[in-house]
Amino acid sequence: MMMRRVLMAGTSLPLLSCHSACSSHTTPSRPGVLGAIGDTPLIELRSLSEALGCRVLVKCEHLNPGGSIKDRAALWMLELAESSQALVPGQHDTITEGTGGNTGIGLALVAAAKGYKCVFAMPASLAPEKIDTMRTLGAEVILTPGVPFSDPRHYFHEAAGLAATNPKVFFTNQFENTANSLAHYHGTAPEIWEQTGGQVDGFICSAGTGGTIGGCSRFFKEQDSEVSCWLIDCEGSALYPLVKTGSSYVCEGASPSSGKTEYPGDKQVKYIGRAEGSSISEGIGIDRKTANFATSVLDGAMQGTDREAVEMAYFLMRNEGLFVGPSAALNVVGAVKLARILGPNKTIVTVICDGGDRYRSKIFNPQWLEEHSLTPVHRGKGLEFVQPDNAVPAAE
């Protein structure tokens, strides 16, 4: 078993960094915008650390050049596609994806740097800021209705169909393409491990494709099996009951894209039933078990509400000067819940998957908040708005 140092309450150990800000050496230049993906800062949320008696750290993925953690997966998916000749300039040179926005932005950025074209399908209900950013970066965007995955009009099937009918088009398929989780297994998680000097007691984040939680949890468990890895799931998602129940919760079946992609998970989809409720959070919560999520090694799962996420987003602005989106805020809610479970003097890590700028029309819009009965009411530095955890251990 790997020995870990115990962090005493009130102690503030320096973070280790791949490119230390305290170094007298200048960080060398990087080869273009793609060289700026990754090596993001890991920062302590001192207001939470002081309130919980733990050390709460967040990986600032919103500081990637495309503004989210999805830049990592985008770069890995495209570079592995190039190495396999699935993408060839002038021959197979158009990328398609079904996206909640951030993956599309990341892919559009990487594609622009590499000279590829992009066509993305996404739900029309998502934040207009994301749609506008993709179009600004040169992507064609197809807006789809908010329909279940079983409906052929679903954004995933729109993207899969484009690739199936045109040999010049490559479907990145962030859900079943495990280059997604590899980006975090080889990048995000090792960076966190180095930046903390191997001092990680707990890791928690939400999931959509499952790439981040899959790659990170697998890496941490390989370093030290006692690192506690958890899912924080939004209401209306199927992942919380999946972790709680295990493989018996999965029902395999065909989908409108069966036979249209090379991935086994699209031929026989692993459907899972959603929990009650719904969520305003974008890019997380899903009703099937993806190949990326299947790589996860989890100790358990818990749920968080939209109310908790919105209150946390405003808490972080007031107390940390940190401007984050709702899924990032939910991750921090999860960190608070996990800190309460693990007890004092532990180091808890999560990720800030994107910033708040993409949600100005939603959770940072007073009228929108009022319409959704989510106007923040909490003031001060207390964490009373974070409800007692409803944690369940992983079934398998």
Side-chain angles (χ1 to χ4, degrees):
M1 182 188 308
M2 184 178 293
M3 298 294 291
R4 291 203 302 272
R5 294 171 289 164
V6 176
L7 176 68
M8 302 304 294
T11 304
S12 182
L13 296 178
L15 291 179
L16 304 179
S17 173
C18 302
H19 301 285
S20 174
C22 298
S23 172
S24 60
H25 300 290
T26 301
T27 302
S29 63
R30 301 184 187 186
V33 70
L34 303 185
I37 295 175
D39 279 346
T40 53
L42 184 72
I43 66 171
E44 181 177 7
L45 302 182
R46 294 192 173 183
S47 60
L48 297 185
S49 296
E50 291 170 5
L52 296 164
C54 288
R55 197 176 195 207
V56 179
L57 306 177
V58 294
K59 186 78 162 146
C60 294
E61 292 299 298
H62 62 303
L63 299 181
N64 279 303
S68 87
I69 197 168
K70 294 294 189 175
D71 288 8
R72 294 179 184 263
L75 182 60
W76 267 74
M77 288 191 294
L78 294 196
E79 294 204 332
L80 285 181
E82 288 175 325
S83 67
S84 68
Q85 300 291 294
L87 272 176
V88 179
Q91 298 178 40
H92 311 291
D93 59 1
T94 301
I95 298 155
T96 189
E97 179 61 270
T99 175
N102 283 334
T103 302
I105 293 169
L107 284 169
L109 181 146
V110 177
K114 288 177 171 288
Y116 297 114
K117 298 184 284 290
C118 298
V119 183
F120 301 133
M122 65 183 296
S125 61
L126 296 184
E129 294 90 338
K130 293 180 179 179
I131 299 168
D132 293 344
T133 301
M134 280 187 279
R135 286 174 170 160
T136 300
L137 287 168
E140 178 185 344
V141 179
I142 300 169
L143 298 179
T144 65
V147 294
F149 187 74
S150 58
D151 191 310
R153 296 173 297 164
H154 188 276
Y155 65 93
F156 177 91
H157 305 310
E158 287 280 353
L162 287 172
T165 56
N166 188 338
K168 288 178 66 83
V169 177
F170 172 68
F171 181 32
T172 47
N173 197 346
Q174 60 175 320
F175 297 92
E176 297 298 318
N177 184 345
T178 53
N180 180 348
S181 61
L182 288 175
H184 304 290
Y185 179 81
H186 291 290
T188 315
E191 289 171 26
I192 292 169
W193 196 254
E194 182 178 350
Q195 288 167 320
T196 60
Q199 185 177 302
V200 178
D201 295 292
F203 175 80
I204 188 166
C205 72
S206 53
T209 65
T212 303
I213 200 166
C216 287
S217 64
R218 184 161 68 95
F219 177 88
F220 291 137
K221 288 293 191 180
E222 288 178 1
Q223 306 311 303
D224 183 349
S225 62
E226 290 196 356
V227 176
S228 193
C229 295
W230 287 71
L231 167 76
I232 176 74
D233 205 21
C234 59
E235 292 180 303
S237 172
L239 296 177
Y240 173 79
L242 172 66
V243 175
K244 177 182 178 181
T245 308
S247 58
S248 64
Y249 198 66
V250 175
C251 179
E252 293 194 12
S255 86
S257 291
S258 294
K260 292 184 179 179
T261 86
E262 64 184 76
Y263 300 98
D266 293 330
K267 295 179 175 68
Q268 279 291 107
V269 178
K270 294 181 167 139
Y271 290 104
I272 46 181
R274 288 186 180 272
E276 292 183 1
S278 61
S279 178
I280 61 162
S281 293
E282 299 180 5
I284 61 172
I286 196 170
D287 58 1
R288 61 195 190 277
K289 183 180 180 181
T290 67
N292 282 294
F293 189 82
T295 66
S296 303
V297 186
L298 299 177
D299 293 283
M302 58 188 81
Q303 284 182 310
T305 66
D306 287 345
R307 166 62 60 184
E308 289 173 298
V310 170
E311 294 286 1
M312 181 59 79
Y314 281 81
F315 176 95
L316 294 173
M317 278 201 299
R318 285 195 312 271
N319 296 294
E320 297 286 346
L322 198 56
F323 186 37
V324 306
S327 54
L330 186 66
N331 285 348
V332 179
V333 168
V336 172
K337 292 175 185 269
L338 185 56
R340 290 172 175 170
I341 291 172
L342 297 185
N345 308 323
K346 303 294 186 181
T347 297
I348 315 297
V349 181
T350 190
V351 295
I352 301 299
C353 40
D354 66 3
D357 206 46
R358 289 173 184 170
Y359 306 94
R360 289 180 180 273
S361 62
K362 292 195 170 186
I363 71 167
F364 299 106
N365 177 346
Q367 181 179 345
W368 187 94
L369 288 168
E370 185 175 353
E371 290 171 355
H372 290 79
S373 301
L374 287 172
T375 300
V377 296
H378 181 74
R379 299 291 183 271
K381 295 189 175 183
L383 295 171
E384 299 85 2
F385 62 89
V386 179
Q387 301 172 11
D389 72 81
N390 47 11
V392 295
E396 55 184 31

